[in-house]
């Protein structure tokens, strides 16, 4: 398991939940691009933990990254 240096989040466990800042760091996508991709169904939806709290499953983000074509940068 790996601890994300900045936030202290556990990112090595497949059931771990990531903050938006960790997802943007892992994917290279901006926050606005991330939510635009969610709106059109090309990025995994976050888990809603409360009215103002969302997190992404590590396994969902990892699967999205793995599905990218080799050498293709997220856009």
């Amino acid at each position: 398991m790996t601890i994300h240096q900045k936030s202290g989040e556990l990112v090595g466990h497949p059931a771990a939940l990531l903050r938006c800042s960790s997802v943007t760091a892992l994917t290279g996508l901006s926050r606005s691009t991330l939510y635009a991709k969610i709106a059109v169904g090309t990025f995994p939806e976050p888990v809603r933990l409360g009215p103002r709290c969302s997190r992404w499953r590590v396994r969902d983000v990892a699967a999205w990254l793995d599905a990218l074509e080799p050498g293709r940068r997220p856009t």
Side-chain angles (χ1 to χ4, degrees), residues 33-46:
T33 300
L34 185 70
Y35 280 101
K37 287 186 169 293
I38 291 168
V40 297
T42 59
F43 195 82
E45 296 246 352

Side-chain angles (χ1 to χ4, degrees), residues 22-30 64-65 73-75:
S22 296
V23 175
T24 59
L26 288 169
T27 63
L29 300 174
S30 68
W64 181 84
L65 288 168
R73 185 170 175 251
T75 56

Side-chain angles (χ1 to χ4, degrees), residues 7-67:
S7 66
E9 292 178 318
L10 186 66
V11 295
H13 193 280
L17 298 174
L18 300 172
R19 293 174 179 260
C20 186
S21 59
S22 296
V23 175
T24 59
L26 288 169
T27 63
L29 300 174
S30 68
R31 186 175 185 273
S32 58
T33 300
L34 185 70
Y35 280 101
K37 287 186 169 293
I38 291 168
V40 297
T42 59
F43 195 82
E45 296 246 352
V47 175
R48 306 280 180 208
L49 300 177
R52 294 178 46 113
C53 184
S54 298
R55 299 290 186 266
W56 282 262
R57 288 182 188 91
V58 168
R59 67 175 169 251
D60 294 344
V61 175
W64 181 84
L65 288 168
D66 290 342

